[in-house]
Amino acid sequence: MKSNTNINLETKGLSVKITGIVFWGMVLVGILLSFVMMKTAEHDLKNHHNDIFNHFLYEIEREIKDYGLSDSKKIMKDLTDQAKQLGVSAFHIDYDTSILSHGEPSNDDEKFTTTLLRRNKELHITLFQPSIDKQLNLQRKKLIISMGVLFAIFGLVLQWILQKMLAKPFVSMVKTAKAITLGDTKIRFYEKGNDEFGYLGRFINEALDSTLEQQENLKKAIFKEHKSRELAEVTLHSIGDAVITTNKNGIVEYANPTAERLLGQSLAGIRGKYIERILNLVSERTSQPVTNPVIRCIHEETLSFNEEDIILIRKDGQEIDIKESTAPIRDQKGNIIGIVLVFHDVSNTRKMARQLSYQASHDSLTGLYNRHEFETRLVDALRTNHAQGTQHALCYMDLDQFKVVNDSCGHIAGDQLLCQVSDILKKQVRESDTLARLGGDEFGVLLNNCELEQARTIAEKFKDSLSGYRFSWNDNIYEIGISIGVVALSAEKTGGTISDVLTAADIACYAAKDAGRNRIHLFEPGDKDLEKRHGEMRWVSRIHKALDENRFELYYQDIVPTNPDKNILHREFLLRLFDEEGNLVPPMSFIPSAERYNLMTNIDKWVIYNGLTQFKRHQDAGIHYICSINISGQSLTQDDFLHHVVNTISETGVEPSKICFEITETAAIANMADASKFMATLKEMGCLFALDDFGSGLSSFGYLKNMDVDYLKIDGCFVKNMLEDDVDHAMVKSITDVGHLMNLKTIAEFVETQDIMDELKEIGVDYGQGFGLCKPAPLSDLLPYEEDSSLDNSNIA
Amino acid sequence: MTERTLRLLVGLLILIALYLELPELIFGLIVFMLFEGITNLRLPILLSKIQGIDNTPQQHTDEPEQKSKFSFEAERAMRFAASALLGVSYFVLNEHLWFIPWFMGFAFLGAGISGVCPMLMGFKQLGFK
């Protein structure tokens, strides 16, 4: 308001000043002019005043001269006109008896009297005229009024002109300026005139436009800057990373809410403090303090981050895993003006990484190291063994009876057994040793800096620790043993690779197992048992090759009924292998290797496919018998094998009731659950089952209750001497009796003479099989005229 | 009514009185101005009060406000001076100062028309309020 008042005063002041100067100037000029004119006018007036009477006398004389005194009317008229013209108020002329008179004199008129003698007559003349003061006063009034009015009018006109030319544009400019001052940015100065005001208006308008444009740009820039700053601040406040900025000396200037949360301190509490006072960092690995990243960045002047895993220790003692990075903040010249530290909580990530690392290196069931970690450490041990000449040893352990527990009590029991055994073994190893579960019921221990004999002692401890252990499950108690193969990590003894070492250990372990289980076997080069194992291993590739080259052939051996009227002939399909030279290889040369190295399923598939295919042809050719095919224990546990059998039966179209699968008593009992499933599926289709080698393995009549078989094949060891050995005879008879009681038919193996066959018939055995009845012959002999070109192993998975 | 209007009116009355030779009117104007000067009951203020307009004494002059030395108002001083000058020049020394009343008449008239009163400005320059 004060500025408005000032503006009003200033604008009015200028207008008033212009008007005042002009007006009063005119007044002064008028006064001076009036005085000058007044002097002259007064002088003239006084002269005129003095001449009036003489002039009037002159006029009287001239009239008398021209007209005489007789024509008084004419004289009167002329003198009256003259009196008016001269400003004479009144006059009296007396001559003889006549009086010429005009006007009435006022009291203050001056009176002039004289007597003239004309034509002998006296003329008394009296003249009245206004006094000189009165005339002067009147003259002054007229002059002053006229001058006053004239100069007033002139002054007003001049004022109007000046007002219009100067004051009005100026006031307009001031009003515009005032409006602009009050914030009206659209208003502009009048700029159309060609005078100085127009030029000034244009100039100011341009300057104003430029200023406004700059102002607008500045506003936009400020707004943009403000928005960017706001966005940056919001971002800093919103991000999950903690951000701390310091000056170039490491004094904290800013911390976002995440930083406050992770530090457990407010910004107000840490602002202005030295960074090392608020950021206590230690190495996760060593638990030792690490160089503060901000200090490091101040010294290095580059973006940096710590490779090490770092833990932030808060003021309240809480530890948080963090990952940090620091970067210098530079000004436009590149000088460091501060440091920004960014870090985030990686507790979950590290926890997960630790979990993943643990899971990757440990067995989830037992908590021991897994095979991968074991092999990694084994590689390290082999490397140090070579480089430093240190001696390490490896124990390869396999639980005895684990399969029995697993199959008879279930997987849960098996898992429980493994956990308990793991706990026992864990107590026996040194801290420097590596105990791992290598798979199934196999364990390995890497004994660092351990001689072979010392390793043997430790292995003994393992074995002894389990010797008193009994696994209890559902009121059943199992004695658990362990077979251990011990190997020294020596390039001379085992070879230099991990594969060599593990193979040697595996072989040693199997040697221990073969030697009667729950034993320790040290791997020594030249060991006969181990050479045998090596031989078995060589069979692996030979079996694969034989399958690829289709060098297997099926033979058959009749299973002759003791009473042909009651029972139909059986033929057992037997597998034979021909080596590369075409020589026949006895089954027992390769079957153990195939069983040990899990090749039996492939062989069984080959037998099933080729056997059933040929059997179908025999049926089609009118050769009727029941074919018996042996199934290994390994195949029973393979789901895909069961599918293969079912599919092959369907594809070949043989009658399932004409097929009898022979499962060894040991295999059936060892894989009870899988065997039951296998038998149930195929029995449903109509297939028959025979329990092979009954009496020689884990014989128990109790198992027969749970196994839905049709035939019992009495192990040949009882049959071949039954005529001489009463016990064998009794065994054969009792098995036969029990079988019959259970509606099972019995088959006696190893019938080498007709006498045995006769005796079998006598005691009620239903079938006999052996060299005395029928020697094995190629199956293809049953249809000699047909080329078996279509048979191969292409259908074997 | 403002002071400016009053000055216009007074100027006209002086000129009329001079032209028509009405010494009574001149006398009356002198008395009027003296009354206003003495009592400060100035006609514009009184009329404003009667009309209910808040017309407290304010800067009616066209000059920027100046710091006054005296608390006496320039308007009142001007009235004293004008009445004295008019009285002396018209009634006492009219023969010699006959032109002063005329000048004053035109001065008042001019002040009324132009809004600029040199006498008032002069008093303010002297330090009157």
Side-chain angles (χ1 to χ4, degrees), chain A residues 16 23-24 31 137 141 144, chain B residues 19 21 62 98 103 110 116 118:
Chain A
V16 165
F23 185 82
W24 288 105
I31 288 169
N137 195 24
K141 275 194 224 175
I144 283 177
Chain B
Y19 188 79
E21 297 181 3
D62 302 316
W98 59 267
F103 172 75
V116 177

Side-chain angles (χ1 to χ4, degrees), chain A residues 636-649:
Chain A
L636 289 176
T637 61
Q638 306 293 320
D639 283 341
D640 67 322
F641 179 74
L642 177 58
H643 295 149
H644 176 80
V645 174
V646 172
N647 290 339
T648 306
I649 292 170

Side-chain angles (χ1 to χ4, degrees), chain A residues 719-735:
Chain A
V719 178
K720 63 183 179 184
N721 295 321
M722 65 177 286
L723 295 180
E724 294 82 26
D725 191 326
D726 292 340
V727 175
D728 289 344
H729 187 275
M731 289 288 282
V732 173
K733 189 171 188 312
S734 61
I735 291 170

Side-chain angles (χ1 to χ4, degrees), chain A residues 244-254 263 265 267-281 291-299 339 341:
Chain A
I244 295 176
T245 57
T246 71
N247 64 14
K248 61 181 179 182
N249 298 319
I251 304 298
V252 174
E253 292 181 339
Y254 171 78
L263 291 172
Q265 299 180 67
L267 174 60
I270 62 174
R271 182 179 278 151
K273 287 186 179 173
Y274 192 51
I275 188 71
E276 281 202 311
R277 288 184 59 195
I278 61 161
L279 207 62
N280 185 13
L281 301 176
T291 306
N292 192 289
V294 174
I295 306 303
R296 186 184 66 223
C297 187
I298 289 172
H299 291 146
I339 305 291
L341 165 69

